Amino acid sequence: MKIHSLVLSVGILLFTLPSMAIPSDAPSTGNSGNNQLSPKQEEVAELKACAVVVGAGFLPIANTRDQRFQGKVTEPTARCRGGQKAVQFRMTPWVDWAHYWGAGDSSSLPVGFLSVKGPQLRGVAGALLDLEYERIELIKFNLFDNAGTYQTYVEGRDGVRGPALKTWPEMRLPKDNAYYSAVGGNGEQVCKGELIRARTLTGICNDIRNPLMGSTGMPFARNVEFDTTFPDLEQTTLTKNRHGGRLGLLTPDPQVISRKLFTRSQSNPASCNAGFGLPNDSPDANCDYQKAPFFNVLAAYWIQFMTHDWFSHMDEGHNAPGDMQVGCKSELVNNVQTPLTTEEIQKLGCRPGDQVDKTYLLKDSPPEQFTMGGRTYLTRAPKTFANNNTAWWDASQLYGFDETSLKRVKRDPKDPAKMLLEPVAGMPGPGYLPVLQPGDPFAPQWKGQEAVAFPDNWSIGLSFYHNLFAREHNSFVDEFRRQAAQHPQADSGLRNPSDPKRVIRYQDVTADELFNAARLVVSAEIAKIHTTEWTPQLLYDEPLYKGMNANWSGLLGTGDPDVSKALSDVVVHGFGTSENAKKATQWYSVFASGPGIVGLGSKVSHYDITNPNDVNGGVNHFGSPFNFPEEFVTVYRLHPLVPDLIEYRDMSKDPNQIVQKVAVIETFEGKATDAMRSRGLANWGLSMGRQRLGLLTLNNHPQFLQNIHLPRLDTPTQQIDIAALDLIRDREHGVPRFNEFRRQYGLRQLTSYDDFVDQTLPADSTARKQQMETIAQLREIYGTHVCDSSKIITDAQRNPDGTPINDCLGHPNGSVVDNIEDVDTVVGLLAEYTRPHGYAISETQFVVFILNASRRLFSDRFLTSSFRPEFYTTLGVDWVNHNGPGPQMMETGAPNGHQQPVSPLKCVLMRNIPELTPELQHVINAFDPWARDRGQYYSVEWKPRPDAASDPAFK
Ligand code: HEM
């Protein structure tokens, strides 16, 4: 081992830590508010501030949740990392790092300073460290398992503190599970043999000592304290004080909110036709929507494709029996809920006759309580709900998650290692997914759709990805078979834990073994695309580019395997097994950033596939078994991403021409099959790759989703407003409302609706005026009340002076304050006009990702210690690392200053839809609109690359 490089690397890591860590009482440099300084004076002031920061040392991790970091730094820190601009916006509720040097586009770099590099390094490193700090606190304060382990998390067990626990009786397979005996039955349960070789159908045995974790049907977890859930039940004094009896399932009225705050306004409603477009897909159709210049429609469908892998409240396309009303009944008039008149209903365009099936409940009996340290806790949330999917990143939307979904997954009878694809006349390539047949299990509304494990809410975008990754699966199998033909005797890398010494040669690998290895490869590739390609484009700035690559490849990015292994040892064996809860939970994530999360613990010398410590040693659940929390589902309610019409282009004509406008709703469910087969993957790829997706903001929901017909509903209208339903479902699932949601996640609360307005915009700008108008609507819908300062409303945060937060939110007692506490979380997320540069989502959504996206990697052994040839084959590990067969290809030049590999989705697209290769030559990130000129440093300008100047999308 090269000790010197290890010392150097760890040194870099530790050196950077103190700069993030400033006690909140660090002295001020006294420059606040002075923006008259010359660049040179400003630079000197910053360096002085930096000296104060370094001298101040580590900021301790908060001991209690009300002392959290909140993404807010002291004045010297803000000045050191971002100069006067960062200082100026410290007083807003929004995170400070957005104003650090280098965290935006080229305008975020200093002008007139001696060097740009120094400030940029301070700014970007500072942003990364703020984010890491948030992650540590999120791991410490936001894990609430709903499956029965929470009490031990709080109390500990046998002298081990809760956050250091690694196994739980609640994660044992129950007696009625078919594999109960195989994992040890009544005795110690440890998965072995066939059960540990690959991803299992229902997700059991990912963690071999907690077989049930993350499997199909386990309860959704929570990220917020149990007694803050279901605020409309007002079960605690705090929730009573917070909401004052103002909330209900249909109050404020969800359809009224949808019509007033979610509807896309149309310059020419006739040419949109409520999202249906014009006959014959005429290109003259137009549905206005607010567009994100740096993110394309492929990115919208990508995330829907992902959510179908991760979670589902629904079961085979429906919810629980029993329809419920969904509003369009009342609105607030002078702070009083008042029934809507017929005229008002007509004007709004909502439908009082709409009904929908209720969400499935898992448990709603009153949860047991326990007391510790004088405080009473609930053992789970008052109601729980099952995740009817595996929680793992296992491509279960493609491969299945239970026996029923598995029956829809068709393998090629000619080579059962492959997925079945059928040739389509006149279409190039290896074919398309087969259509569901009468013998297959499927809900009536899916008739005519392509046969896939997760077929719900299907449209052209999902058809695109399912076909693409079925092809990718087969590409891997083809390459494996090619290598097997060349070197039949060579070691494939695969091993069987039941016969671990036997070398499995290429020629010995069975079709089932190869199918399973291909599944592992495809799911890891998907995780890599999401982590290193989708997310850095969703959050298009330098800190996030670095941060996401750090999650995958390691912060140090040395490419030195010795350093990586040594760091991995430090993390896994130093912290991973530590029973010191503080170390294990607080610093593990920091140190994991060194080697990267993916592959953590996989570089063990003499790896033994029969040794659970090797196979499972890299995972860390931080004391709380892994599943997605309800709050995670909330922040993925991203329906505004979808446009109403797809600007359809044809490869065989001019790619710069929009030849048709195809309504997404005309590709819904079974209609997607013909749309896909008649036009082909390449044309849809080109069309969705070039088109911008919808901004996640208010008044930007697709028209068609507000008016969708769901024939499965046995209701008067058979119609539903999905935008309104998003609010209802969150209310059914007891998600805290926006302001408490932020406090629970350690973000600073808002004190009025006006806090949403982006303070960085000039006061007289059109954008700011529009925001003010929307804020006025928020006030109209959610209302105001006369506040009572004797009512404490939260224990998750305190006022800056340390006093408890009360109903007046810092305003004088008896004043009229906004009902900001009542704002539905999805509404609040969309109202966040203040965002870091290049953020397609809000900072509140992002904080939910920081925690759960990391945990999804940390907890999965196939992405950590079982990311090995013994499971993936040698070709498989190389394929994931190099984005395909052969050596890694590099992009020419250095986009945004980085030499980088050809991105993984770009590789998948070129490999499986080679017709797209010429178009993709210009593309760095497959989720950036393909014809956009990326310009300089993280530019989000909407400008065509030279050969796309004639593309009407740029007019
Ligand atoms: C053609 C496009 C789409 C259609 C037709 C559609 C339709 C639907 C429908 C009918 C539901 C179920 C409502 C319920 O009964 O609870 C739903 C839920 C949901 N949708 Fe979409 N959707 C689309 C696109 C998207 C996209 C792009 C996203 C982005 C992530 C998304 C995220 C979600 C989420 C998170 C849920 C909740 C799922 C759950 O509770 O398990 N959808 N959608």
Side-chain angles (χ1 to χ4, degrees), residues 761-833:
L761 292 172
D764 57 351
S765 65
T766 316
R768 188 150 170 174
K769 282 184 192 146
Q770 277 170 355
Q771 292 177 10
M772 300 293 286
E773 280 166 26
T774 312
I775 297 305
Q777 277 207 311
L778 263 180
R779 193 164 281 125
E780 192 184 297
I781 291 169
Y782 285 98
T784 57
H785 70 279
V786 175
C787 75
D788 176 351
S789 64
S790 70
K791 291 182 173 168
I792 309 297
I793 63 164
T794 184
D795 58 7
Q797 201 166 97
R798 285 177 173 265
N799 290 313
D801 65 3
T803 55
I805 292 171
N806 64 49
D807 183 42
C808 291
L809 293 168
H811 306 284
N813 187 31
S815 53
V816 175
V817 298
D818 289 337
N819 294 340
I820 181 84
E821 297 303 327
D822 299 351
V823 173
D824 289 274
T825 295
V826 165
V827 173
L829 301 173
L830 297 174
E832 284 184 55
Y833 296 114

Side-chain angles (χ1 to χ4, degrees), residues 359-491:
T359 198
Y360 274 114
L361 264 171
L362 193 61
K363 280 188 185 163
D364 65 347
S365 55
E368 285 177 25
Q369 303 186 345
F370 65 98
T371 309
M372 163 127 173
R375 209 190 131 175
T376 303
Y377 297 82
L378 300 180
T379 49
R380 59 164 168 80
K383 299 180 197 174
T384 63
F385 310 90
N387 182 355
N388 290 319
N389 213 326
T390 67
W392 305 114
W393 220 339
D394 57 359
S396 55
Q397 78 278 44
L398 299 167
Y399 296 102
F401 41 90
D402 60 12
E403 291 297 338
T404 308
S405 58
L406 181 66
K407 293 200 179 99
R408 291 189 287 265
V409 181
K410 310 284 178 188
R411 287 165 66 168
D412 187 344
K414 292 204 284 300
D415 180 354
K418 286 183 160 184
M419 303 282 262
L420 179 61
L421 293 174
E422 295 175 345
V424 168
M427 286 293 161
Y432 289 80
L433 286 164
V435 173
L436 285 164
Q437 295 302 311
D440 296 330
F442 63 86
Q445 69 266 26
W446 300 335
K447 189 165 186 278
Q449 281 184 212
E450 288 153 305
V452 299
F454 196 104
D456 212 17
N457 300 330
W458 190 256
S459 74
I460 194 65
L462 292 173
S463 171
F464 180 83
Y465 281 118
H466 277 266
N467 274 293
L468 179 66
F469 282 97
R471 286 187 178 190
E472 175 69 355
H473 176 106
N474 289 358
S475 293
F476 177 76
V477 174
D478 283 339
E479 177 63 19
F480 190 92
R481 296 248 183 260
R482 205 180 61 76
Q483 299 216 2
Q486 271 179 1
H487 318 283
Q489 307 281 335
D491 181 357

Side-chain angles (χ1 to χ4, degrees), residues 36 91 161 273 328 494 503 656 671 720 923 942:
Q36 302 304 316
M91 300 327 289
R161 292 188 53 195
N273 189 18
C328 189
L494 206 63
V503 169
N656 288 330
K671 290 181 179 172
I720 198 78
V923 172
W942 183 238

Side-chain angles (χ1 to χ4, degrees), residues 232-418:
D232 53 344
L233 300 181
E234 298 204 343
Q235 289 187 332
T236 67
T237 310
L238 292 178
T239 45
K240 258 196 203 81
N241 289 347
R242 193 180 314 132
H243 299 295
R246 296 183 296 265
L247 302 185
L249 184 64
L250 299 180
T251 320
D253 194 301
Q255 283 200 56
V256 173
I257 296 176
S258 167
R259 297 291 150 171
K260 288 191 176 176
L261 287 176
F262 289 168
T263 303
R264 282 179 180 160
S265 67
Q266 296 300 325
S267 53
N268 180 1
S271 71
C272 178
N273 189 18
F276 280 85
L278 296 178
N280 305 320
D281 304 319
S282 164
D284 299 332
N286 177 53
C287 289
D288 290 331
Y289 67 108
Q290 301 176 64
K291 307 171 180 89
F294 53 92
F295 220 25
N296 62 19
V297 173
L298 279 182
Y301 286 116
W302 174 266
I303 192 59
Q304 191 187 16
F305 179 58
M306 288 301 91
T307 60
H308 291 178
D309 178 351
W310 302 331
F311 56 78
S312 174
H313 282 98
M314 295 175 79
D315 180 26
E316 290 292 292
H318 59 84
N319 300 290
D323 291 328
M324 59 179 176
Q325 307 277 319
V326 288
C328 189
K329 297 271 160 59
S330 68
E331 66 179 339
L332 210 59
V333 178
N334 296 329
N335 286 316
V336 179
Q337 285 296 340
T338 312
L340 290 170
T341 63
T342 314
E343 294 77 60
E344 283 163 343
I345 289 170
Q346 261 173 2
K347 201 169 148 219
L348 280 169
C350 57
R351 291 174 300 269
D354 280 12
Q355 293 176 25
V356 78
D357 40 6
K358 293 182 184 150
T359 198
Y360 274 114
L361 264 171
L362 193 61
K363 280 188 185 163
D364 65 347
S365 55
E368 285 177 25
Q369 303 186 345
F370 65 98
T371 309
M372 163 127 173
R375 209 190 131 175
T376 303
Y377 297 82
L378 300 180
T379 49
R380 59 164 168 80
K383 299 180 197 174
T384 63
F385 310 90
N387 182 355
N388 290 319
N389 213 326
T390 67
W392 305 114
W393 220 339
D394 57 359
S396 55
Q397 78 278 44
L398 299 167
Y399 296 102
F401 41 90
D402 60 12
E403 291 297 338
T404 308
S405 58
L406 181 66
K407 293 200 179 99
R408 291 189 287 265
V409 181
K410 310 284 178 188
R411 287 165 66 168
D412 187 344
K414 292 204 284 300
D415 180 354
K418 286 183 160 184

Side-chain angles (χ1 to χ4, degrees), residues 220 300-301 303-305 307-308 311-314 319 356-357 359 456-459 632-639 641-642 664-665 667-668 704-705 708 710 712 720 722 725-726 729 733:
F220 280 104
Y301 286 116
I303 192 59
Q304 191 187 16
F305 179 58
T307 60
H308 291 178
F311 56 78
S312 174
H313 282 98
M314 295 175 79
N319 300 290
V356 78
D357 40 6
T359 198
D456 212 17
N457 300 330
W458 190 256
S459 74
F632 188 75
V633 179
T634 301
V635 299
Y636 277 106
R637 295 188 182 278
L638 305 180
H639 290 120
L641 295 179
V642 186
V664 172
I665 191 65
T667 73
F668 188 44
F704 80 90
L705 280 182
I708 203 163
L710 296 179
R712 74 178 176 82
I720 198 78
I722 302 286
L725 190 58
D726 275 334
R729 292 295 186 224
H733 299 143

